[in-house]
Structures are given as C-alpha cells and as structure tokens.
Amino acid sequence: MKKLFCLVVALLAATTAFSQTPEEIMTRVDAELTAHENEGCSMQIDVKMPIIGTMPTKAWTLGDKSRMEVSMMGVTVITWDDGETTWTYTQKTNEIEIKASDPSDNDSDLSLISDLEGYDISLAKQTDKEWTIRCKKNSKNKDKEAPNTIEVVVDKATYIPVSITTKASGVSMTIRDIRFGNHVTEAMVTFRLSDYPGAIVKDLR
C-alpha cells in the first residue's frame, strides 16, 4: 500500500507540473520573487560582450540599499546606492564619485521578468527538477531597450530562478546564484568613507 501511495503522489505531482502553462509558471515565479523582495538578495551577473569578453559582476541588495562590484580588464569598480545617493569607487584611480541617485537605475536586476508583456512565452525544455522558459520579444513590444530573448531556468520545487539569460544587440547577460535571506547584512550594502583612506573624493551632487 505504501508503494502504491508513493506512486500515486508522484503521478499527481507530475501531472500538476505538466498541466501548468509557461505563462502560469512565470506568474508563480513573479509571486515568489515578490514574496522575498524584503529579504536580502545576492546574485552573480555575467555580461558577455564582443571583443571585450565576459564582465563578471556581484550584486547585493537589502531594502533600498544595494552594492555592485564590476570587474573588467583588470579594473574593479564598486557602486553603493541607498535610493538617494550613489557612491562609485574606482580601484585603479583610487577615486570616489558621489552623485544623486538616478531613479531609473533603482530597479532590481530581477525586475526584467516581472512584466513579460510583449513577449511570446514557451517551454523550451524541462527536467525532473527544472523548467526552461523562453521569452521571445514580439512585434507588439516597442521598447527598443528590451532584450530580444529572455531565457529563465526555474527550480520546480521553489519557483525561484536558477538563472536568467538575456540577449540584445550582441550582448548577453546571465544572472545566476540567486540567493535570498539574512546572508546579506547592512554593513555589506552601506558605503563608509573610512574604509577608503586616502581616496580622492569627487562630490558631484
């Protein structure tokens, strides 16, 4: 009886998963991301560009605060933002530039899958643990900056993205290693001038 019960449960789970449309899966993904939005979040972002190659980026967010570390051709740039002020430190020149925050830059990197209007959504493939959802820009999408394609690998157990890959104008970006929880601390996303003694400060506010 126990074996039969386990088999029935497995079949029901498989049937439920199969019956979900790609649109329904992405709606659930958006709901899960929204549920976690007040928690700390970290992720790895790899941007691939022609000739230049891959630009690895690490990002952390907590509430209205964020920190991003970008490395390219031996140069590391760290940016902090608290919704009002942006601090940018360039390691090579030992300079800190301070500006008022740009509201258009305050969207989460995960927000690109929160509204997929203007995309045709389909199931590219699936395994026992993951769905791969492909979103292709259609003729109704008039946003010139919107990616041509967005591919989202979704964990079936949690509905949290395993990775998000976008492509536009020869540039691809992959967001991976997405984690939520208290591993992101206030200190990690807060700029402190005392951490950079001797740095040249340019206040452009």
Side-chain angles (χ1 to χ4, degrees):
M1 179 63 72
K2 184 177 180 180
K3 288 183 179 179
L4 177 60
F5 176 75
C6 291
L7 179 60
V8 170
V9 170
L11 287 171
L12 285 173
T15 302
T16 302
F18 182 76
S19 66
Q20 294 181 92
T21 66
E23 290 83 1
E24 289 171 338
I25 293 170
M26 291 309 299
T27 297
R28 176 70 183 274
V29 169
D30 185 40
E32 288 299 322
L33 293 179
T34 299
H36 289 284
E37 65 182 1
N38 292 325
E39 301 175 15
C41 179
S42 64
M43 66 189 76
Q44 175 75 32
I45 307 171
D46 296 323
V47 180
K48 293 183 179 180
M49 295 172 284
I51 302 176
I52 294 176
T54 301
M55 182 176 68
T57 302
K58 293 183 178 180
W60 299 263
T61 60
L62 182 62
D64 293 330
K65 293 184 175 182
S66 65
R67 173 179 176 170
M68 185 173 291
E69 295 187 6
V70 183
S71 297
M72 183 173 64
M73 301 177 70
V75 178
T76 298
V77 177
I78 308 174
T79 301
W80 297 259
D81 194 293
D82 65 1
E84 296 182 358
T85 306
T86 300
W87 298 265
T88 302
Y89 173 69
T90 303
Q91 188 179 51
K92 186 174 183 179
T93 60
N94 198 30
E95 292 181 347
I96 296 170
E97 189 175 88
I98 306 174
K99 292 183 176 180
S101 296
D102 183 347
S104 64
D105 290 337
N106 290 335
D107 288 337
S108 163
D109 293 294
L110 300 178
S111 65
L112 60 88
I113 60 172
S114 63
D115 182 5
L116 292 172
E117 186 176 353
Y119 284 89
D120 295 325
I121 305 173
S122 61
L123 178 64
K125 62 181 179 180
Q126 69 172 312
T127 66
D128 291 342
K129 296 182 178 180
E130 299 172 347
W131 292 288
T132 299
I133 307 296
R134 184 166 295 143
C135 310
K136 187 174 182 180
K137 188 177 180 180
N138 59 36
S139 58
K140 296 179 182 178
N141 194 328
K142 304 302 181 183
D143 184 355
K144 294 182 179 180
E145 296 183 0
N148 298 324
T149 60
I150 304 173
E151 189 167 277
V152 187
V153 178
V154 181
D155 187 308
K156 287 185 174 181
T158 64
Y159 286 84
I160 297 297
V162 175
S163 67
I164 303 170
T165 300
T166 66
K167 293 182 180 180
S169 303
V171 177
S172 67
M173 179 180 74
T174 298
I175 302 173
R176 57 183 175 84
D177 299 338
I178 302 165
R179 293 179 59 204
F180 293 95
N182 58 12
H183 66 288
V184 180
T185 65
E186 188 79 14
M188 293 170 66
V189 294
T190 300
F191 173 77
R192 294 175 297 275
L193 183 59
S194 59
D195 290 341
Y196 301 92
I200 301 168
V201 178
K202 296 181 178 180
D203 196 333
L204 306 178
R205 288 173 292 184

